[in-house]
Amino acid sequence: MEIIAVESQAYQELIDKLNRIEQYVERTSRLIQDIDDELEMTTKDLIGTLNVSESTLYRWRKKQLVRYRYTEGGDVRYFFKSIVIATKCNRLRVSGMKNDEILGRLNRFKDNLIMSSCINPKNRQL
């Protein structure tokens, strides 16, 4: 076995860099979790993302497969995390799509939303 010798100062600098990386990963993980917890999709978002009909969304609500809420204006908002969980638990079916494809489309929707809010800071509503 080889022994690697490192100067005390170089070692401390390396440890400091590793600690900063760890803190960054933790902050990023919390941010992504917060986004998943707060993100809502409109009926139009789901129709466009998953290529489903309004009737399908109505059936999902009626069978309580996903969490949703009504806005003051009467529109429906679907909780992103609920859709992801229902997909992973095989409660949601989309004709012609496997779960991996559904999850991929949902993640692309989220990524595009994040990227567009980074590019245009006026649209920072989640």
Side-chain angles (χ1 to χ4, degrees):
M1 178 161 90
E2 251 181 82
I3 297 176
I4 300 173
V6 179
E7 289 182 36
S8 179
Q9 184 177 352
Y11 175 77
Q12 190 57 47
E13 288 174 6
L14 180 61
I15 294 298
D16 290 344
K17 285 180 183 180
L18 288 173
N19 285 335
R20 285 194 304 272
I21 291 169
E22 180 182 31
Q23 290 170 358
Y24 172 79
V25 169
E26 287 175 0
R27 283 192 317 269
T28 303
S29 296
R30 281 193 304 271
L31 177 61
I32 289 171
Q33 184 65 44
D34 290 346
I35 289 170
D36 285 354
D37 290 345
E38 298 294 324
L39 182 60
E40 296 177 346
M41 297 179 77
T42 66
T43 297
K44 184 178 176 182
D45 292 336
L46 275 170
I47 289 172
T49 302
L50 299 180
N51 197 29
V52 294
S53 67
E54 285 190 52
S55 299
T56 297
L57 298 178
Y58 172 76
R59 283 191 297 276
W60 289 357
R61 290 193 313 268
K62 187 175 179 181
K63 293 178 182 179
Q64 298 180 347
L65 298 176
V66 294
R67 287 186 52 229
Y68 64 93
R69 70 175 182 87
Y70 288 100
T71 65
E72 290 178 12
D75 295 327
V76 182
R77 295 290 187 269
Y78 299 87
F79 293 93
F80 178 84
K81 189 173 185 177
S82 171
I83 298 164
V84 169
I85 290 170
T87 302
K88 287 181 177 182
C89 293
N90 294 313
R91 290 194 314 252
L92 291 187
R93 298 279 182 217
V94 176
S95 180
M97 267 191 244
K98 294 182 179 180
N99 287 358
D100 289 345
E101 186 177 353
I102 296 169
L103 294 171
R105 288 180 179 215
L106 291 169
N107 283 324
R108 280 190 297 279
F109 170 83
K110 178 177 70 171
D111 292 345
N112 289 337
L113 186 66
I114 292 169
M115 291 304 296
S116 68
S117 70
C118 291
I119 293 169
N120 188 358
K122 291 181 183 179
N123 295 336
R124 290 192 181 181
Q125 299 172 348
L126 290 181

